Every structure is written in structure tokens, then in C-alpha cells.
Amino acid sequence: MTIPAITQKLLAAKQMQGLSFTDLEKILGRDEVWIAALFYRQASASEDEASKLVEALGLGPDVVSELTEYPLKGLGPVVPTDPLIYRFYEIMQVYGMPLKEVIQEKFGDGIMSAIDFTMDVEKETDPKGDRVKLTMSGKFLPYKKW
């Protein structure tokens, strides 16, 4: 996967300013995962959101227009055919890199175990249509140095 130039620029500025996605959440009033998705061009910002982000990161106003453009979402060409599995694939295509960035920001360089792992599925009744609530919990496994 090729990281877009804008993503590299945003991540570098975030690091230079010593900001976390949680810090940016407080500034923008948006969830940290959504902000990470914006960094990876899996979301688009309003003019106001983009301006606040650019100011916090110390970047020029030219970045605002790029952040407000509608992005081409997804990260790869392989598509599952089962409709339910496809939706999980779609979620990971859009939020995979942002989630990775947020998890590693909080825990360090490593992975979430799929062996020491639990997932809870709940049905939430909603007048607009029932909702699926997933809760995933996996042990964090740091990469070993040798």
C-alpha cells in the first residue's frame, strides 16, 4: 500500500507538534479514529474542521482544500463475495490504517491478538432500524526485539 503524500505530511506535522489523535479529538470535536481516517484520506472534512486541523498542525491553508475533497476510499482490490463479510472488509478498508495508527499510538509497535481475543455481538433496538454492536477485545502483543 502506498501512503498518500498528504497523509505523510499530516503525520509528520502531528509528530512535530507533539500531538496525539486524542489531542486532535479535543480540538476538532470529532472522534480520534475519524481523525485518523481523515489523515489517511478515508474521510473528508468540512471547511471548518480542515481549518482547525491545519491550524493545530501548523500547516498552510493549501492543505484545507485537499482535506475537504471527497476521497477515494478503500485500500485494495480483493473483495469478498459474502455480503456480511464484505461489510467487515469494507470497515477494515476504510478504518484499518486509522485504527492501526491509534492502537499503536496508545500501546506501541505491536498487534492485537486474534488468539487471546473476545468479541461480543449485541443487538440494539433502534426506531430507524436495529443496529449491530460489536465489542472486540484482544491482548496487545508488542513486537519483540532481538
Side-chain angles (χ1 to χ4, degrees):
M1 181 187 116
T2 304
I3 304 293
I6 185 68
T7 301
Q8 293 175 28
K9 186 176 192 173
L10 292 166
L11 291 171
K14 178 178 145 302
Q15 185 176 14
M16 287 285 289
Q17 297 296 327
L19 295 169
S20 68
F21 285 108
T22 302
D23 295 329
L24 294 173
E25 180 180 55
K26 293 171 189 164
I27 294 167
L28 296 178
R30 294 281 183 208
D31 186 84
E32 63 189 355
V33 176
W34 182 86
I35 295 167
L38 178 64
F39 271 49
Y40 280 88
R41 298 306 297 130
Q42 298 300 310
S44 60
S46 69
E47 187 87 21
D48 184 55
E49 292 161 340
S51 295
K52 285 179 185 176
L53 179 62
V54 165
E55 182 178 323
L57 296 176
L59 296 171
D62 58 307
V63 178
V64 171
S65 63
E66 197 165 353
L67 292 173
T68 59
E69 292 174 4
Y70 301 132
L72 178 61
K73 294 183 180 186
L75 305 173
V78 180
V79 180
T81 57
D82 179 272
L84 189 127
I85 295 171
Y86 171 79
R87 292 298 172 223
F88 286 103
Y89 170 81
E90 181 182 26
I91 290 165
M92 286 301 108
Q93 285 292 307
V94 174
Y95 295 104
M97 289 302 293
L99 282 168
K100 175 182 170 28
E101 190 76 21
V102 171
I103 289 168
Q104 289 185 329
E105 186 175 272
K106 291 182 178 205
F107 292 91
D109 189 19
I111 62 170
M112 181 176 77
S113 172
I115 296 169
D116 188 353
F117 176 86
T118 60
M119 182 185 301
D120 187 49
V121 179
E122 295 178 47
K123 180 179 179 180
E124 292 184 340
T125 304
D126 187 312
K128 297 179 207 166
D130 291 342
R131 301 187 63 81
V132 177
K133 181 178 180 181
L134 299 177
T135 305
M136 296 187 291
S137 178
K139 180 179 180 183
F140 181 76
L141 302 170
Y143 284 104
K144 179 177 155 183
K145 294 182 181 180
W146 68 97

